[in-house]
Amino acid sequence: MAPTAVSNKLKATHRKQFQELQEAGEKGERERTMTLHRLFPLRLRQTIAQVRLLHGSGCGHQLEEVAMEPELRKETSVFRTQVNDPACQSERHLGQYYTLPTSHLHTIFPHGLPARYQQQVKTFNEGCVMVRQPALELISYLKAADYSKPAVRYLLYGLKGSGKTMSLCHTIHYCSTQGWLVLHIPDAHLWVKNCKELLPSSYHTSRFDQPIEASNWLRNFRTTNERFLSKIKLRQRYTWTKRESTEKGSPLGELVDMGVSRVKSSSDVVGAVLKELRLQAAETEESEGFRLAVAIDGVNSLWGRTTIKKEDKSPVAPEELTLIHNLRKMIDNNWCGGAVIATLSQTGSLYSPSSAYLPKELLGEEGFDSMDPFIPVPVSNYSEKEFESCYLYYLDRHWLQHPHSKTDEGKKEIIFLSNRNPSVLERLCAFL
Amino acid sequence: VSASSIGRLVMLFLVRWSRYNPYYLEPEPRKELYNMPETELTTEQKEERELKAVRPIKATTNSTTSSVFNDPVLSKFVNMMMRDGEKILARGILTQTLESLKRKQVEKYHKAPQGKKAEIECNPYAIFHQALENCMPVIGLASIQKGGKFYQVPVPLTDNRRRFLAMKWMITECRDNKNRRTLMYEKLSQELLAAYSKEGNVIKRKHELHKMAESNRAYAHYRWW
């Protein structure tokens, strides 16, 4: 049997299974469309469908996409959706992959994506993210929140490799496309371990600075939020040395550039940037305000222990690091006009058992009290539909090459070996 | 305890490498044979099944699987790469090699224009098997003593010997001739891709062996088997 004939037959069976699962979820909508078909001719049906959508979602540009979508769905894109804007995605798109535009990949995510995902983007020549339930839930909360009240804190937690960082990146994509200012700390664990240079802080004698990490972060912050750097003006005068100072009213870009070039004072610059953004996010939309999204991956490192040692070999507590100290101030809910989205991570964490994944275990007493009250968002392994979608995507991108992996037996074995865990599945399919 | 009954006892240690009593049957890991219904069995297979119900069976090695992804050639390669019994490390290196092979080829595939896509082979297993086949020598040399001197005599090789030589050359090449900073899987994937397109040091070594055999043609009649 020719390989293309086999793969087409497989695609047909997989498509059928996927569609069955989708239809089980969309039964109500089907009944509505059945009545439509019975009562109105084709042209009227299309206009009715479009009008319904106008009232429903409020995303006007989706009209053409809806008219096109039925035909596209009949082809191989049961697992892909053409709706690339996170704001317009809904439960209909659960389990489907949407493409991240390349420009967004370079500007929004210079440092946010997991390493293996970056390799995948390079190999497949495109970045596709699956629309999953935790991310959609988070985005709906962000849409419905009141931003004149203090910032709400959301916490993504789940087993290792279940997709917390990717859900966070999906939410950050939403925030960026909505014009928010995104403060993304890709891995807070990197700030509490393996520090090559530790300087005593000039601002506060008992604290320590980390110039390399701070300047790296400022560089990436500059790439992410280019358009805000000239708009936001400083409210306060900052003096760095006897001869250098940043005046009140100068743009934020100047401060960030200073932090990147003068590596010694970069940690204090980070603190100043965080403080300014916290104060200015509270303004309303009309007076040129903005919404602030603080996204932290591995938030449990802020309250744990560090592996950094002082010169007399005594350990450094997290409070004694300027970066951590300022970040903790951002997490407090005493500022308005934004949200704090955090992810727990056991993988890079220090002195925590590998079986721990719940917030209470990883955050500890102190961390839980600081984060309390927060909205927990659990992230689980792939459901059957999501697994089907992932499998079809890998087939489409020519990633599953072993001839047996395309059979039913092989697929059952893959499900057994990976237990539908996203990262284990990815590593398994990498050599199959 | 008589001598005959000692042979019937199951040894409590080193079971695999001891000489099993021929009474013990070989294990059968393949799933398809157990799923066949009664009607499709021949008389021999029916007899075998009845025998398996009464006779004891030898213990399998740790690397035996009933998985559909099991490949005996790859298992042999892993065993040859293994050092100090660290099979997990050797298998990890092999999976990383296959992954890096696939990544390079799939990246090339997605960037290639439509006409060139069919020529690019993305299956790392196909590349591995083809590369190994390209490295296998056709004829080998044996050291034969005649009249006090040893001569290198061209000699035909069995399939197992050819496969062993190809794998051995591949592994020694990747261990010795690499930069200190390159990892084993990187070097292996480069060598395998080169061997797939009939270039590289391993292919060169095979050609040198063939040339030696050709130059020693005169001694061919020293072979008596």
Side-chain angles (χ1 to χ4, degrees), chain A residues 308-323:
Chain A
I308 309 177
K309 294 202 168 60
K310 294 179 224 171
E311 273 161 11
D312 55 354
K313 307 274 177 88
S314 60
V316 173
E319 302 81 53
E320 293 175 21
L321 293 166
T322 9
L323 287 171

Side-chain angles (χ1 to χ4, degrees), chain A residues 28-80:
Chain A
E29 207 178 297
R30 264 183 85 203
E31 282 167 352
R32 270 179 267 137
T33 41
M34 296 274 276
T35 35
L36 241 191
H37 278 257
R38 261 190 285 125
L39 296 174
F40 299 102
L42 181 66
R43 218 177 268 174
L44 271 179
R45 256 183 264 151
Q46 282 182 340
T47 32
I48 291 172
Q50 287 171 13
V51 166
R52 237 194 228 164
L53 239 106
L54 252 185
H55 291 307
S57 64
C59 302
H61 62 269
Q62 219 194 355
L63 275 175
E64 293 105 54
E65 279 166 321
V66 163
M68 270 170 48
E69 246 192 280
E71 286 94 59
L72 280 169
R73 272 210 188 167
K74 277 177 203 155
E75 294 167 5
T76 50
S77 48
V78 194
F79 55 90
R80 265 192 216 269

Side-chain angles (χ1 to χ4, degrees), chain A residues 253-269:
Chain A
E254 215 182 282
L255 191 63
V256 176
D257 288 328
M258 218 221 74
V260 174
S261 48
R262 297 235 175 276
V263 182
K264 262 198 172 168
S265 46
S266 48
S267 316
D268 294 321
V269 167

Side-chain angles (χ1 to χ4, degrees), chain A residues 116 399 413 429-432, chain B residues 67 99 102-103 110 122 125:
Chain A
R116 279 200 81 91
W399 192 231
E413 196 164 323
C429 295
F431 61 84
L432 276 183
Chain B
S67 158
E99 188 190 328
K102 203 195 328 179
R103 247 181 232 283
H110 285 303
C122 291
Y125 296 88

Side-chain angles (χ1 to χ4, degrees), chain B residues 68-104:
Chain B
V68 289
F69 303 118
N70 188 25
D71 189 349
V73 177
L74 282 177
S75 310
K76 204 46 125 188
F77 195 78
V78 167
N79 284 339
M80 287 184 66
M81 256 207 299
M82 175 168 65
R83 265 184 176 167
D84 301 328
E86 289 181 323
K87 181 99 102 182
I88 306 171
L89 184 59
R91 209 168 75 127
I93 294 172
L94 185 71
T95 49
Q96 282 172 323
T97 315
L98 292 169
E99 188 190 328
S100 95
L101 268 178
K102 203 195 328 179
R103 247 181 232 283
K104 287 184 203 172

